[in-house]
Amino acid sequence: MTQHFNSFYCSFSIKIERHSIIIMRIALAIVYIWFGGLKIIGISPAGDLVEETVFWFKPEIFIPVLGLCEVFIGLGLLIKRLVPLTTLLLLLHMIATIFPLFLLTNACFDNFPYRPTLVGQYIIKNLVLVAGVLVIAGKHNNNYCSQQ
């Protein structure tokens, strides 16, 4: 049984390796376009969090602009030649998204730093988005740098 599973897994992993980066790019693009779109049309569940974090900007202007930036990041992930610039923008965006962990600690943790609230978990999951874009950048780097 183990041998069959290992054989299946090896065959699967070899086939999926060819498509894994594009799958990751599409998955990240969907998340960014979807979440950004919600901000643009004013129905994002993260709107209040953004408003409390970036309180010095008018939310009716800042949140849709942030959503537009997120949509551009998503579209940039889909256009291969824009991946280097998009990677930089995504990483800058991710740095900004961790601010609530420090500015709004009570909203992010029931017991800092061990027990995150749902809001805290929403922010912490961004580590996965960062890891995904770093994998894309590393793989894309092989092709991009060899063409320069």
Side-chain angles (χ1 to χ4, degrees), residues 113-129:
Y114 305 105
R115 200 167 120 202
T117 62
L118 191 56
V119 170
Q121 291 177 36
Y122 175 78
I123 296 166
I124 292 167
K125 67 93 180 92
N126 288 341
L127 292 172
V128 177
L129 301 180

Side-chain angles (χ1 to χ4, degrees), residues 5 12 14 18 22 33 36 61-62 72-73 80 82 84 87 92-93 119 122 130 134 145:
F5 174 78
F12 171 77
I14 289 167
R18 285 182 242 144
I22 188 69
I33 293 168
I61 295 171
F62 183 78
F72 285 145
I73 289 170
K80 199 170 187 176
L82 296 179
T87 298
L92 290 172
H93 178 260
V119 170
Y122 175 78
V130 169
L134 292 176
C145 292

Side-chain angles (χ1 to χ4, degrees), residues 62-122:
F62 183 78
I63 294 173
V65 169
L66 176 62
L68 200 56
C69 292
E70 290 177 359
V71 169
F72 285 145
I73 289 170
L75 293 173
L77 287 165
L78 296 175
I79 301 168
K80 199 170 187 176
R81 71 177 191 272
L82 296 179
V83 167
L85 176 61
T86 302
T87 298
L88 176 63
L89 294 174
L90 189 149
L91 291 174
L92 290 172
H93 178 260
M94 285 293 111
I95 290 169
T97 65
I98 66 167
F99 288 161
L101 293 177
F102 305 103
L103 298 175
L104 306 171
T105 307
N106 291 338
C108 297
F109 293 95
D110 287 330
N111 188 356
F112 181 79
Y114 305 105
R115 200 167 120 202
T117 62
L118 191 56
V119 170
Q121 291 177 36
Y122 175 78

